[in-house]
């Protein structure tokens, strides 16, 4: 075996090695000379051996069809091949054992692959007592005679939010924007309903303190609906509907017990039906447009410089419909509570996204939107 090149510097000490370690590997063959090698902090080897740095030093030998065994770097080359094979073996072992701790037997670790997915073993249900609550869930189509306008329902909007949730997988910034708005508006409406119901309920308790005990109205035949939503947003809508249904029960109790007039009952219910339906219409509008075949492939890459003509048409269309997406959402600084977006980007791509986000912020500012000073909910209207 040839001796190592004496002019080759000994690499810096690896953080993996003890203080008294010379920074040299064991020889390939017993009795051979120690072989110098480069090290790196994130090396998979205990001695810090760096395959990447060694490849740079040995590139001519590695890429040669007939490497020269008389090259002074030959022992180092053999060590590189040995470590490369060892890494492949380590990776194979990691895959087979699913990355389990070394104390776990391989036969136990492989059972991870056979572990079934979580399923809904029982039946999720929603119980509604009021016609207003049921209608809010069911919605209404426009009648054939055209006398009644369509009313968006919770079932329909849950489907729209599921579609937007699925579109977020495509790195679609407008789907992310819609979901972020849902993350804000649905809990906001739910909190409003709960707070108002508690305030009205206090009126009932006040009378109980004086000797009048009033029970909250409920249906003789409440309807129990089975829920089979396939996205988290369906259940968020169901919770909102149930909150609304209870609110209506409290309001109608106040009317039945002569605490509220008929007009007060009507106005109190309308106080929430209008903003709820407005929110539903907004989410449905996002889904209706973003699900069109022309916009279905939309992604953040469409906004980057050098995008093809089809991407440019998509950007022009979507910004014409919804306006420019808020820069913080485009750059990924603001994300929805539930998303299927799983995108790994390089540092270069991140810089480009930030640059485009800055341009979008400029567009918002030109239109008078204060995107640099977001509202409390972090959204741009």
């Amino acid at each position: 075996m040839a001796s190592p090149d004496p002019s080759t510097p000994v690499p810096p000490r690896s953080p993996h090695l003890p203080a008294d370690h010379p920074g040299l590997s064991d020889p390939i063959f017993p009795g051979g000379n120690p072989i110098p090698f480069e090290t790196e902090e994130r090396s998979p080897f205990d001695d810090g051996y760096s395959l990447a740095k060694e490849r740079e030093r040995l590139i001519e030998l590695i890429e040669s069809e007939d490497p020269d065994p008389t090259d002074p770097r030959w022992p180092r080359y053999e060590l590189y091949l040995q470590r490369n094979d060892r890494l492949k073996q380590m990776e194979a072992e990691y895959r087979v054992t699913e990355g389990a701790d070394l104390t776990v037997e391989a036969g136990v670790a492989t059972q991870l692959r056979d572990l079934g997915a979580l399923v809904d073993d029982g039946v999720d249900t929603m119980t509604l007592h009021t016609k207003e609550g049921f209608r809010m869930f069911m919605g209404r189509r426009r009648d054939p005679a055209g006398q009644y306008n369509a009313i968006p329902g919770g079932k329909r909007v849950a489907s729209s939010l599921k579609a937007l949730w699925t579109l977020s997988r495509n790195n679609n910034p407008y789907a992310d924007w819609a979901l972020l708005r849902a993350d804000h508006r649905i809990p906001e409406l739910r909190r409003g309903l709960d707070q108002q119901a508690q305030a009205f309920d206090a009126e009932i308790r006040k009378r109980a303190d004086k000797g009048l005990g009033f029970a909250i109205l409920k249906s003789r035949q409440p309807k129990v609906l089975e829920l089979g939503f396939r996205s988290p947003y369906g259940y968020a809508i169901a919770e909102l509907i149930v909150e609304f249904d209870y609110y209506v029960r409290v309001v109608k109790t106040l009317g039945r017990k002569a605490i509220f007039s008929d007009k007060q009952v009507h106005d109190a219910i309308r106080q929430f039906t209008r903003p709820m339906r407005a929110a539903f219409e907004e989410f449905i509008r996002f889904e209706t447009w973003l699900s069109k075949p022309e916009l279905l492939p939309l992604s953040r890459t469409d906004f980057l410089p050098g995008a093809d003509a089809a991407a440019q048409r998509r950007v022009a269309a979507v910004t014409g419909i919804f306006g420019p997406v808020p820069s913080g959402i485009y750059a990924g600084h603001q994300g929805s509570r539930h998303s299927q977006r799983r995108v790994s980007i390089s540092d270069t791509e991140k810089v480009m996204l930030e640059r485009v986000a800055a341009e979008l912020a400029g567009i918002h500012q030109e239109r008078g939107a204060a995107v640099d000073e977001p509202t409390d909910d972090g959204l741009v209207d």
Side-chain angles (χ1 to χ4, degrees):
M1 181 184 297
S3 300
D5 183 1
S7 65
T8 302
V10 175
R13 190 176 310 281
S14 166
H16 298 274
L17 306 179
D20 58 351
H21 195 287
L24 304 175
S25 74
D26 292 332
I28 297 178
F29 304 109
N33 295 322
I35 303 169
F37 57 80
E38 296 281 359
T39 62
E40 63 182 359
E41 184 176 354
R42 297 181 62 83
S43 169
F45 303 103
D46 291 338
D47 58 8
Y49 184 92
S50 173
L51 279 168
K53 293 180 180 179
E54 283 297 293
R55 179 177 176 81
E56 291 179 4
R57 284 185 170 272
L58 305 169
I59 189 66
E60 298 86 1
L61 287 170
I62 294 170
E63 294 187 348
S64 173
E65 294 183 1
D66 186 20
D68 182 8
T70 64
D71 190 294
R73 297 170 297 170
W74 185 261
R76 200 161 174 170
Y77 170 64
E78 286 187 307
L79 179 60
Y80 172 83
L81 297 179
Q82 180 196 58
R83 291 303 180 93
N84 200 44
D85 290 341
R86 174 57 186 149
L87 179 61
K88 292 178 181 178
Q89 181 183 355
M90 291 165 64
E91 290 173 341
E93 291 173 352
Y94 191 89
R95 287 193 300 272
V96 169
T97 62
E98 299 290 343
D101 190 276
L102 292 176
T103 59
V104 179
E105 297 177 357
V108 174
T110 55
Q111 294 182 42
L112 177 63
R113 290 193 295 269
D114 302 325
L115 189 63
L118 295 176
V119 296
D120 289 326
D121 195 23
V123 177
D124 299 323
T125 63
M126 175 175 66
T127 302
L128 298 177
H129 291 261
T130 69
K131 291 183 177 180
E132 290 84 355
F134 204 99
R135 176 65 74 183
M136 186 63 73
F137 175 75
M138 185 174 64
R140 184 182 68 195
R141 298 193 312 276
R142 182 181 176 86
D143 69 303
Q147 295 181 354
Y148 303 104
N149 292 326
I151 296 176
K155 182 75 170 178
R156 171 70 174 86
V157 78
S159 176
S160 292
L161 288 170
K162 176 183 177 293
L164 292 167
W165 182 60
T166 302
L167 281 175
S168 68
R169 184 187 307 162
N170 299 341
N171 196 23
N172 186 320
Y174 281 84
D176 293 339
W177 188 11
L179 294 177
L180 189 62
R181 295 183 73 86
D183 287 341
H184 168 72
R185 299 198 184 283
I186 294 173
E188 181 184 55
L189 288 165
R190 200 171 61 239
R191 285 192 300 269
L193 285 163
D194 181 60
Q195 291 169 3
Q196 193 71 293
Q198 288 187 38
F200 291 160
D201 192 49
E203 292 293 324
I204 297 174
R205 291 197 305 271
K206 186 190 300 181
R207 281 148 179 86
D209 293 339
K210 297 178 181 180
L212 284 174
F214 296 149
I216 303 298
L217 296 176
K218 59 182 180 181
S219 173
R220 288 196 190 93
Q221 295 178 311
K223 298 306 176 184
V224 180
L225 307 178
E226 293 187 4
L227 305 177
F229 296 121
R230 297 182 179 273
S231 86
Y233 289 98
Y235 291 95
I237 292 294
E239 190 171 1
L240 174 62
I241 297 294
V242 167
E243 199 77 60
F244 174 71
D245 186 69
Y246 178 75
Y247 171 78
V248 173
R249 289 169 58 195
V250 173
V251 170
K252 290 199 169 187
T253 300
L254 296 178
R256 181 74 60 86
K257 312 306 178 184
I259 300 173
F260 271 12
S261 67
D262 292 346
K263 183 177 186 307
Q264 285 176 302
V265 170
H266 176 271
D267 291 346
I269 295 174
R270 188 176 176 81
Q271 177 185 350
F272 283 97
T273 55
R274 295 186 68 181
M276 286 177 66
R277 288 170 179 167
F280 288 1
E281 287 173 352
E282 177 186 356
F283 306 144
I284 291 172
R285 179 171 180 265
F286 266 105
E287 181 265 332
T288 299
W289 283 105
L290 295 180
S291 297
K292 289 186 177 296
E294 299 84 357
L295 290 180
L296 209 54
L298 183 73
S299 76
R300 282 172 172 80
T301 57
D302 290 350
F303 295 77
L304 298 178
D308 60 27
Q312 293 177 28
R313 286 194 296 271
R314 287 192 291 269
V315 169
V318 76
T319 53
I321 297 166
F322 298 106
V325 64
S327 58
I329 295 173
Y330 177 81
H333 300 320
Q334 296 170 284
S336 55
R337 292 184 69 232
H338 305 285
S339 174
Q340 296 197 52
R341 182 177 177 237
R342 301 290 185 270
V343 179
S344 297
I345 60 175
S346 66
D347 291 339
T348 301
E349 290 171 325
K350 187 175 181 180
V351 170
M352 293 181 71
L353 288 176
E354 294 284 358
R355 187 181 306 156
V356 173
E359 294 174 359
L360 291 171
I363 294 173
H364 272 294
Q365 289 174 335
E366 289 177 3
R367 296 189 177 190
V371 294
D372 291 331
E373 298 179 1
T375 57
D376 291 340
D377 55 26
L379 302 174
V380 177
D381 290 310

